[in-house]
Amino acid sequence: MRPHDTAVTDTVDGGVIRRTPTGWRVDGGEEVPDLVSAMVLADLLSRESGIRVPRAQAPGRAPEGASEAERLRHTIAQLEHALYSRVVVEQAIGVLAERHTMEPREAFERLRSSARSRGRKVAELARDVVESSTSPLTALPDELDASPGPR
């Protein structure tokens, strides 16, 4: 690794996303301009390869009395989790927008409204929406499901 590169291990697929002088590169492949695009690409590549590693729960607060290095590692884990959640929500917005032929903003509002009415986190429901794009057995709330009629 060159001194100006930064490596980020994506815990979804075990692949490596590297910072380059002009963007980000996933597993030595094509360069993309931003980290969110790189994480989306890493996620897509992992799905194509069939490798699925379960995502860990969101990290809580750093323990009392933790050293500065431990607190920083914990903060990095929190930020990586938040970024991954954002990527999944954006993917779900794309799925819903395409599925229901609507604007992305409307798709997000529908996703958020559905999550609130069921007492679920938007990111959790978003994972179900993304999963439903490849698995027809994933049940979605009626307002998010494109299938006609009852399930």
Side-chain angles (χ1 to χ4, degrees), residues 41-117:
L41 179 59
D43 189 46
L44 292 172
L45 291 174
S46 70
R47 287 174 193 240
E48 284 180 4
S49 69
I51 299 170
R52 300 290 301 242
V53 178
R55 172 64 72 172
Q57 291 288 354
R61 294 182 177 265
E64 285 292 322
S67 71
E68 183 176 3
E70 290 170 330
R71 286 193 318 267
L72 289 173
R73 274 194 284 281
H74 202 76
T75 299
I76 288 169
Q78 290 172 327
L79 291 171
E80 287 175 342
H81 180 79
L83 185 57
Y84 173 75
S85 294
R86 177 180 173 171
V87 167
V88 172
V89 169
E90 300 235 359
Q91 288 174 336
I93 290 169
V95 168
L96 292 173
E98 188 275 333
R99 189 176 284 172
H100 297 286
T101 319
M102 64 177 62
E103 293 295 317
R105 182 70 186 165
E106 184 182 348
F108 173 72
E109 292 299 330
R110 189 177 287 191
L111 179 66
R112 185 175 67 162
S113 173
S114 182
R116 281 185 175 174
S117 70

